[in-house]
Amino acid sequence: MTQQVPLLINGELVSSRASEWIPVTNPATQEVLAQVPCATSEEVEQAIAAARNAFATWKETPVGERARLMLRYQALLKENHDEIATLLAQETGKTFEDAKGDVWRGIEVVEHACNIASLSMGETVENVARKIDCYSITQPLGVCVGITPFNFPAMIPLWMFPMAIACGNTFVLKPSEQDPLTPIRLAELFKEAGAPDGLLQIVHGTKDVVNQLLTHKDTPAISFVGSVAVGEHIYRTGTDHMKRVQAFAGAKNHMVVMPDAQKQQVINNIAGASVGAAGQRCMAISVAVFVGEAREWIPEVRDALAKVRPGAWNDPEAGYGPQINPQAKARILDFIRQGKEAGAECILDGSECVVEGYPDGNWVGPTMFRNVTTDMSIYTEEIFGPVLIALEVDTLDEAIELINNNPYGNGTSMFTASGAAARKYQHEIKVGQVGINVPVPVPLPMFSFTGWRKSFYGDQHAYGKQAVRFYTETKTVTARWFEDDIDTGVNTSINLR
């Protein structure tokens, strides 16, 4: 019998009463691994109610106790690291090494949450007026919600619920229905770490479940990672219902290659950053901008890409795995077709990719275009696949103008040997995350994940100090204690005295 993915409600893994189930398939074979339910409205309500009830006591839990829960949790995640990565690789198709990176980057955020006492500190000023002190404190919001995508089923949930719960909130997670087994395993380990019942709930489903979470009166904060169209809907719907929302959306990330860069490092890094994880990363490099004489390296970049071979998760020679589903593959192939029809030169075509032993896999081989104009769909749209576009400009100023005219602002990188050029680039570029001789500049958790422009809707970003601000409210207290019963008179002005 096919495994049925459970819900997590009030600390218990329970079978859903859903009438609609979605198959979870291995994208390399189309084998059905499990069936995931579309939770009923009543089940979503039960999850929110359980989280609301747990919040009443968890918000009073000392900050040190919350930190110790995260310490135990990160130890368990490390102990079970390879097991989680194996499960993740099987349901996403990622290579084992890539899956391990997914898990590890999530563990780093849990480690950051262990520092919640320092991160939550407020501010104090003594004698803002005579014998009057002012100080701020942070307090949790309540039931927070996370809606996560398929491409990082360990890392992105771990961006969200550990920070939210460490801040004193409770959490309802709606993971992707395409790979729900990894989040369930994360939840099992969280319970094993000693998390009280009700701190974390997991419900599954599609847009009906999402909309119920978005509009519910008891969910004050929503965190989302996904596409632009859905991100905009999440943001508008959530804010229309007076919720705090952070919605991480699409990307079109550029790498600028200067002619003074180390050529082999450029070639290696472009190849890895453009097709790693089958291009299914919001931080993937999908556009390489070659400046001046660096355009002469384009054939060598193509040759390096041609050597990257997709394959199954347990193939140690595979550079990346399949697309998550047949629809994603078909979408990428359609973009490749559009590029050819628009007149772009396809100098490497992975449309007919075949992996021996896996005839049913969602394979797309490394693909590269040259002679692309910025009005072509392969440039204006996020392809989310192993497709690299090579653009050529004469100067760094042209490269900066090109990137700043693109509506996305998630990540960018620059390869150069010039400190002056790097300084100019990082100062003038209108992108939230910049790498200098680093291809995929995802910041470590002591900083925040800071996409700009059309790549992000909201005010406060994920993890780091901004996550604490997102998951808490600031209360400012102005206090005076009278030493004796002295009549200071009536004060009708706003001034303190």
Side-chain angles (χ1 to χ4, degrees), residues 35-263:
Q35 296 280 345
V36 63
C38 292
T40 67
S41 176
E42 291 78 13
E43 289 166 341
V44 174
E45 189 63 48
Q46 289 170 8
I48 295 172
R52 183 180 62 241
N53 293 338
F55 175 66
T57 53
W58 182 246
K59 67 179 181 180
E60 305 297 342
T61 302
V63 66
E65 190 172 328
R66 288 183 257 136
R68 286 189 288 274
L69 171 61
M70 294 304 158
L71 283 166
R72 295 191 298 271
Y73 187 42
Q74 62 91 20
L76 281 173
L77 289 171
K78 290 178 180 177
E79 182 181 329
N80 293 275
H81 177 275
D82 285 6
E83 176 224 320
I84 301 168
T86 299
L87 179 63
L88 189 155
Q90 289 172 342
E91 65 174 345
T92 63
K94 287 188 178 186
T95 64
F96 186 52
E97 288 302 312
D98 195 23
K100 288 196 293 184
D102 187 332
V103 177
W104 185 256
R105 293 307 298 264
I107 291 173
E108 290 177 328
V109 178
V110 179
E111 290 177 335
H112 186 63
C114 297
N115 195 35
I116 193 61
S118 296
L119 294 170
S120 301
M121 285 182 177
E123 300 170 313
T124 301
V125 175
E126 188 180 43
N127 283 333
V128 295
R130 190 173 300 278
K131 295 185 178 181
I132 296 178
D133 305 326
C134 194
Y135 51 93
S136 65
I137 56 179
T138 58
Q139 294 185 332
L141 301 174
V143 180
C144 300
V145 170
I147 302 162
T148 58
F150 74 85
N151 57 334
F152 286 95
M155 182 184 77
I156 295 179
L158 291 174
W159 279 7
M160 296 180 184
F161 75 81
M163 291 300 297
I165 290 172
C167 287
N169 303 286
T170 55
F171 205 86
V172 179
L173 175 65
K174 207 301 287 183
S176 172
E177 64 278 8
Q178 298 183 84
D179 44 17
L181 299 174
T182 299
I184 286 291
R185 184 64 183 132
L186 297 179
E188 290 174 339
L189 292 173
F190 191 53
K191 183 174 175 61
E192 186 178 336
D197 292 347
L199 291 197
L200 175 64
Q201 323 288 324
I202 296 182
V203 294
H204 307 289
T206 54
K207 62 180 181 180
D208 289 341
V209 172
V210 170
N211 285 331
Q212 185 175 352
L213 293 169
L214 279 177
T215 58
H216 199 283
K217 63 181 179 63
D218 291 330
T219 56
I222 309 290
S223 185
F224 166 82
V225 178
S227 68
V228 172
V230 179
E232 185 173 354
H233 168 75
I234 295 286
Y235 181 74
R236 293 189 184 282
T237 304
T239 53
D240 283 349
H241 286 79
M242 301 301 292
K243 298 180 188 300
R244 186 175 296 185
V245 180
Q246 54 176 205
F248 299 84
K252 198 73 176 180
N253 305 315
H254 299 66
M255 177 190 289
V256 172
V257 180
M258 299 298 290
D260 64 353
Q262 294 184 15
K263 182 171 73 170

Side-chain angles (χ1 to χ4, degrees), residues 261-281:
Q262 294 184 15
K263 182 171 73 170
Q264 195 56 52
Q265 289 295 330
V266 167
I267 293 169
N268 293 343
N269 281 281
I270 289 180
S274 60
V275 303
Q280 298 174 129
R281 293 174 179 156

